[in-house]
Amino acid sequence: MTEIHIVGTAHVSQKSVDEVREMVELVNPDVIAIELDQGRFATLKKMMKEEEDARAGIVREEEDSKAPEVKSILSGNFMVMIVQWLLSYVQRKIGLNVGVEPGAEMKEAIRLAEERGIRLMLIDRDINITLARFWGGMKFFEKIKLIWVLLRSVSGKDDETDELDAVTIDSLTNQDMIDAALAEFHQFSPAGAHALIDERDAYLAHGVVSLEHSPFERAVVVCGAGHVPGIMRYRAHPETLPPMKELTALPKKYPWGKIISGIFIAAFAVLILAIGFSGATDLLIWAILFWVVLNGACAGLATLLARGHPLSAAVAAALAWMTSLNPFLACGWFAALVEAKMRPPTAKDFKAIGNAETVSEMFSVPLFRILLVAAAANLGSMAATFGFFLLLGPVLGVNLEMMTNILITGFTNLWHFIISPFVALF
């Protein structure tokens, strides 16, 4: 049976880098297993190559690659991409505060494996599956809370993030701190914590248990300290490990957004019909006008707040009233396509987003702003749809009693209109 040595790390800690080096020197392993998937491993390797070239004074020409396809990105869940970028930015921001880049301990493990000819194994789940399960499993208000916290961190209004220092980061590998952090995250978002922590504990444990029964003599496992307790529990009781198929399945997508949108559209249609059949023609005209103006104002303003081009905001404002009535269309898509036309993304945008050290740098990247415009315009239109039903009465000077009488009259007249052909037959 393979002798397993686990190093629990904090991903932006110099202490963790040192501990990885010390463990490898002490154990002299046959294999090093790291908490990375193939995609993140390739990204780190590329970064390491660029850093090596920079130290050697070598300047290489940029690889000839195509600009990102905006239509293709918009057809997927671009909100997950935005959240991933914001999470990466916050981690990078913490790293800048303590002078250690994110993933430094993984780079050290890779470097040691290559220098010493040690076998390297990747034991983490594909990041795309993790993010899909993370976002797909979260409830609506959990998503809102997460985005709010990320925006506070990105905007610099989260004092806790700014005040993190090397000592605090190093303490994150202490068991008491780990338990407290895990408990807080589970309380903040049970579904999110399940996908990011619990499921990955199991996935990583699968790799460790398999390694334990491999022909290797000694192995060093490098993973986040928060995963170590879960991995150890599964090592003690491997029969409790969930099947790999269950851990790698993409979440089932239920069209809740389209269902909710459909309900609001139906409510709007019924409300307009009722007002129309009540004979309150002036109120009907003002209600439709209010719908158009409110949707346009909210979508256009949200686009501008996301630093979208004025033409993108104009398109969002012009189409919001119409796309709000179609669950298969979104004004944000059209606004984003205009934004891409006015400020085209380039092949370097993904790298620029990954390297951004300030909020301004991130917002200046065309691709990031395009997706932000899409999200902002859609959220603005969604807010307008809710606001329409809440504000219709007060804005048009109609109190609850008047609105009730108008609707009762309208529904009564509508019912008579529907059944009148059948009554005539008999």
Side-chain angles (χ1 to χ4, degrees):
M1 183 172 285
T2 306
E3 184 182 310
I4 303 291
H5 300 267
I6 299 179
V7 184
T9 68
H11 295 312
V12 286
S13 166
Q14 181 58 45
K15 177 185 174 185
S16 292
V17 176
D18 297 337
E19 287 177 347
V20 169
R21 187 184 309 113
E22 291 167 4
M23 182 63 78
V24 171
E25 290 176 354
L26 177 66
V27 174
N28 189 25
D30 308 288
V31 59
I32 299 176
I34 55 178
E35 184 198 330
L36 288 177
D37 64 335
Q38 192 61 50
R40 285 179 293 155
F41 173 72
T43 300
L44 277 186
K45 281 287 293 176
K46 186 176 180 181
M47 290 172 62
M48 291 171 69
K49 180 63 177 173
E50 290 173 352
E51 290 165 3
E52 184 181 331
D53 287 345
R55 285 193 296 269
I58 300 173
V59 179
R60 298 183 186 274
E61 292 184 7
E62 289 286 339
E63 295 180 4
D64 184 23
S65 53
K66 295 181 180 179
E69 269 290 340
V70 175
K71 288 183 180 179
S72 175
I73 293 174
L74 290 174
S75 65
N77 195 335
F78 58 86
M79 278 302 299
V80 174
M81 190 175 290
I82 292 175
V83 169
Q84 180 183 1
W85 285 338
L86 291 177
L87 284 168
S88 297
Y89 174 80
V90 173
Q91 188 180 50
R92 192 163 57 255
K93 181 181 176 183
I94 295 171
L96 289 170
N97 287 348
V98 300
V100 181
E101 60 182 330
E105 87 283 20
M106 297 297 169
K107 289 183 180 180
E108 182 66 11
I110 295 169
R111 185 186 65 78
L112 289 169
E114 291 177 346
E115 283 183 358
R116 302 181 180 214
I118 301 171
R119 174 76 177 273
L120 194 66
M121 290 183 63
L122 310 178
I123 59 171
D124 200 7
R125 183 169 63 181
D126 187 309
I127 185 63
N128 295 313
I129 295 175
T130 295
L131 286 172
R133 293 182 66 88
F134 168 68
W135 190 254
M138 291 179 75
K139 297 177 182 177
F140 176 76
F141 288 108
E142 288 181 349
K143 292 177 181 178
I144 296 297
K145 280 199 302 181
L146 174 65
I147 292 172
W148 173 248
V149 170
L150 287 175
L151 289 176
R152 282 182 60 84
S153 296
V154 168
S155 65
K157 293 183 179 180
D158 189 339
D159 295 333
E160 292 183 9
T161 301
D162 290 330
E163 292 174 2
L164 286 174
D165 55 22
V167 175
T168 307
I169 292 296
D170 288 344
S171 71
L172 293 178
T173 58
N174 295 337
Q175 191 57 51
D176 290 343
M177 288 290 290
I178 292 170
D179 292 341
L182 293 181
E184 186 174 349
F185 190 22
H186 277 87
Q187 184 176 3
F188 175 81
S189 173
H194 181 67
L196 278 186
I197 299 172
D198 302 337
E199 288 183 356
R200 286 177 62 227
D201 285 352
Y203 193 95
L204 292 166
H206 268 290
V208 174
V209 170
S210 297
L211 190 57
E212 202 166 12
H213 295 86
S214 71
F216 296 107
E217 291 185 16
R218 297 172 304 280
V220 168
V221 177
V222 182
C223 64
H227 293 298
V228 175
I231 292 172
M232 297 306 292
R233 284 195 300 271
Y234 282 122
R235 283 185 69 195
H237 302 282
E239 70 280 0
T240 62
L241 274 170
M244 284 291 278
K245 186 177 181 180
E246 180 182 317
L247 295 172
T248 55
L250 290 173
K252 293 181 179 179
K253 292 184 178 180
Y254 297 100
W256 293 117
K258 291 183 173 60
I259 292 172
I260 294 171
S261 177
I263 292 172
F264 273 98
I265 291 168
F268 173 79
V270 169
L271 181 64
I272 294 299
L273 278 173
I275 294 175
F277 274 88
S278 72
T281 308
D282 289 345
L283 181 62
L284 174 63
I285 294 171
W286 282 109
I288 294 174
L289 185 61
F290 181 53
W291 172 269
V292 173
V293 171
L294 184 64
N295 267 276
C298 289
L301 180 60
T303 302
L304 290 175
L305 289 175
R307 301 188 187 181
H309 192 278
L311 192 55
S312 305
V315 168
L319 299 179
W321 71 271
M322 181 177 61
T323 56
S324 298
L325 298 174
N326 189 328
F328 300 100
L329 292 177
C331 67
W333 300 346
F334 297 99
L337 291 174
V338 173
E339 187 70 25
K341 198 74 174 176
M342 303 306 297
R343 295 161 173 162
T346 69
K348 299 177 182 178
D349 280 9
F350 284 108
K351 182 178 178 180
I353 293 170
N355 293 336
E357 296 183 358
T358 66
V359 178
S360 296
E361 283 182 25
M362 180 171 277
F363 274 74
S364 66
V365 180
L367 180 60
F368 182 82
R369 187 156 43 193
I370 287 166
L371 298 193
L372 203 60
V373 161
N378 288 343
L379 289 173
S381 181
M382 186 188 303
T385 302
F386 282 99
F388 174 80
F389 292 97
L390 294 174
L391 301 174
L392 179 63
V395 169
L396 300 186
V398 180
N399 59 35
L400 182 60
E401 184 179 354
M402 290 172 61
M403 182 61 75
T404 302
N405 290 333
I406 289 171
L407 293 179
I408 290 173
T409 303
F411 284 131
T412 302
N413 293 342
L414 177 60
W415 175 250
H416 288 156
F417 176 79
I418 293 172
I419 67 172
S420 58
F422 300 100
V423 173
L425 290 175
F426 299 98

